[in-house]
């Protein structure tokens, strides 16, 4: 394996704002989708399949964006250090980016778990039985082994993802993609020999989590686009438009199958195919954006500053809020919608406030000198 070229093309201000807007919009889309699943669906579940597909699509956008931005981070690191990846800097950047908000989410789950019996109508961590449709969760659960696995980004590889924070399923996969990227980007000296068994060991661990393999092409599509962007060559717009159309048709077909096939396992496999084709479709759209063939509105760019925190704290907050007001809202479609519309801005506000601390990199570095 050859070291990655240290040619580096930073994003323009306009490109950066558009990508930030896509990240912010995707985080808000996941929040809206899960608000429907947790708050509205117990009273009215007809739209749940569509909101579910919306949430899944948004996560695929995150995967593509993650691959693209990690490649930019690696190439910028290499460009600043005479053509060599400074691994310590790369790892410290990932740690201060990922773990402060992640550990905050784990502490938040523990706190809400302790508070639930005092404010839930059941007097315990369980939700009351559903009057109309199935609940998203039966109880607000805090299982120490699962929480430890999530805190170490090992969930779904060695432990289950906490049921009170399902979105963490994708975070552990991304973390291991970051590790794989570092293994490939740092083959110098003796590491040229060890990088092969290291990558092999990582793929072996990946067998514990099928989704690590399923979504690898989506993540690497973003990574490849970053490489092409650095080389000032993006495929012609006509080919990217053709790819967008082809993947859109495929995604629509797989979505239909996932919603109509009777067997649950087959439905899940069609959902995976929907996700992959949706992710590749977005990669083609991102190529169009980077080539200047299209523009996306930048209205959601401010949400990028707290999108990560929002993604990993919104579900426990939704479950907790639903538990408090369950008896009021679950019997009325109108009240469930009003509650959902009320919860969304409140959770955005909490996430935004928390991100000012836990996504504040200078602050984190000042508290943890080892990462300076």
């Amino acid at each position: 394996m050859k070291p990655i070229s240290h040619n580096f093309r930073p994003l323009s201000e306009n490109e950066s704002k558009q990508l930030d807007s896509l990240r912010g919009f995707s985080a808000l889309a996941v929040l809206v989708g899960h608000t429907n699943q947790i708050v509205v669906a117990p009273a009215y579940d007809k739209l749940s399949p569509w909101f579910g597909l919306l949430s899944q699509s948004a996560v695929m956008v995150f995967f593509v964006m993650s691959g693209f931005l990690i490649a930019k981070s690696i190439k910028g690191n290499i460009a600043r250090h005479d053509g060599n990846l400074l691994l310590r800097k790369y790892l410290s950047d990932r740690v201060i980016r990922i773990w402060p908000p992640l550990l905050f989410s784990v502490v938040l789950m523990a706190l809400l778990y302790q508070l639930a019996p005092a404010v839930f109508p059941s007097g315990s961590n369980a939700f009351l039985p559903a009057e109309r449709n199935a609940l998203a969760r039966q109880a607000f659960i805090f299982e120490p082994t699962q929480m430890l696995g999530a805190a170490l980004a090992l969930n779904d590889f060695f432990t289950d993802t906490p049921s009170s924070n399902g979105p963490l399923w994708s975070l552990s996969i991304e973390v291991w993609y970051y590790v794989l990227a570092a293994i490939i980007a740092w083959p110098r000296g003796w590491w040229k020999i060890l990088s092969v068994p290291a990558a092999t060991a990582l793929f072996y661990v990946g067998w514990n989590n099928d989704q690590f393999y399923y979504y690898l092409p989506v993540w690497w599509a973003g990574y490849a686009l970053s490489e092409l962007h650095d080389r000032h060559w993006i495929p012609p717009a006509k080919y990217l438009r053709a790819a967008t159309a082809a993947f859109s048709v495929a995604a629509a077909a797989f979505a239909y199958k996932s919603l109509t096939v009777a067997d649950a396992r087959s439905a899940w496999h069609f959902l995976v195919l929907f996700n992959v084709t949706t992710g590749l479709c977005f990669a083609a759209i991102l190529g169009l954006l980077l080539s200047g063939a299209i523009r996306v509105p930048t209205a959601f760019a401010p949400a990028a500053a707290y999108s990560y925190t929002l993604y990993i704290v919104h579900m426990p907050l939704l479950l907790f809020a639903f538990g408090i007001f369950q008896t009021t809202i679950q019997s009325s479609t109108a009240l469930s919608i009003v509650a959902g519309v009320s919860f969304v801005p409140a959770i955005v506000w909490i996430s935004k406030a928390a991100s000012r601390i836990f996504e504040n990199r200078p602050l984190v570095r000042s508290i943890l000198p080892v990462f300076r």
Side-chain angles (χ1 to χ4, degrees), residues 18 23 28 58 63 84 112 123 132-133 147 180 195 233-234 312 329:
Q18 290 184 79
R23 287 168 55 205
L28 292 169
F63 273 129
N84 293 310
L112 297 181
R132 296 187 184 181
N133 305 309
M147 296 301 170
L180 179 60
S195 61
W233 187 87
I234 301 292
I312 62 174
I329 65 179

Side-chain angles (χ1 to χ4, degrees), residues 78-353:
I78 291 172
R80 289 189 295 270
H81 298 100
D82 301 319
N84 293 310
L85 177 68
L86 186 61
L87 189 61
R88 179 180 178 277
K89 172 64 174 171
Y90 174 80
L91 294 177
S92 68
D93 284 348
R94 302 287 74 73
V95 169
I96 66 169
R97 167 62 176 161
I98 295 165
W99 266 276
L102 176 58
L103 295 178
F104 168 68
S105 75
V106 172
V107 172
L108 178 66
M109 284 186 280
L111 176 63
L112 297 181
Y113 173 80
Q114 293 297 325
L115 291 175
V119 294
F120 281 14
S122 66
S124 68
N125 295 91
F127 299 116
L128 296 174
E131 297 177 9
R132 296 187 184 181
N133 305 309
L135 298 175
R137 299 290 187 272
Q138 298 303 312
F140 193 108
I141 298 173
F142 185 93
E143 205 285 318
T145 302
Q146 294 178 2
M147 296 301 170
L148 178 61
L152 297 176
L154 297 175
N155 53 293
D156 285 341
F157 289 90
F158 297 102
T159 65
D160 291 334
T161 292
S163 68
S164 56
N165 203 345
L168 293 182
W169 75 265
S170 66
L171 180 61
S172 60
I173 294 174
E174 282 193 62
V175 168
W176 288 102
Y177 288 164
Y178 299 161
V179 174
L180 179 60
I183 290 171
I184 295 174
W186 199 58
R188 59 181 184 179
W190 54 269
W191 183 248
K192 291 180 180 179
I193 299 174
L194 292 182
S195 61
V196 175
T200 302
L202 180 57
F203 278 106
Y204 179 78
V205 171
W207 282 114
N208 292 328
N209 185 357
D210 292 347
Q211 295 182 106
F212 174 84
Y213 290 98
Y214 295 156
Y215 302 127
L216 191 59
V218 175
W219 196 87
W220 281 101
Y223 198 104
L225 272 173
S226 183
E227 286 285 309
L228 294 176
H229 184 260
D230 286 334
R231 288 166 170 75
H232 297 265
W233 187 87
I234 301 292
K238 64 180 181 179
Y239 297 124
L240 291 171
R241 288 193 175 97
T244 300
F247 286 126
S248 295
V249 170
F254 291 134
Y256 174 78
K257 293 293 289 184
S258 72
L259 297 178
T260 57
V261 71
D263 178 63
R265 184 169 180 82
S266 297
W268 186 79
H269 285 139
F270 281 118
L271 179 61
V272 169
L273 290 170
F274 165 79
N275 286 341
V276 172
T277 49
T278 299
L280 296 177
C281 178
F282 175 72
I285 292 172
L286 180 57
L288 288 168
L289 185 156
L290 295 170
S291 69
I294 63 169
R295 289 175 55 86
V296 299
T298 58
F300 295 97
Y306 57 86
S307 60
Y308 172 45
T309 299
L310 175 62
Y311 183 73
I312 62 174
V313 305
H314 74 274
M315 181 166 273
L317 289 172
L318 279 171
L319 288 169
F320 187 74
F322 173 75
I324 295 174
F325 299 102
Q326 181 182 4
T327 55
T328 303
I329 65 179
Q330 75 171 11
S331 61
S332 168
T333 300
L335 287 175
S336 68
I337 293 173
V338 170
V341 170
S342 302
F343 294 164
V344 166
I347 291 172
V348 166
W349 184 86
I350 293 170
S351 301
K352 190 174 182 179

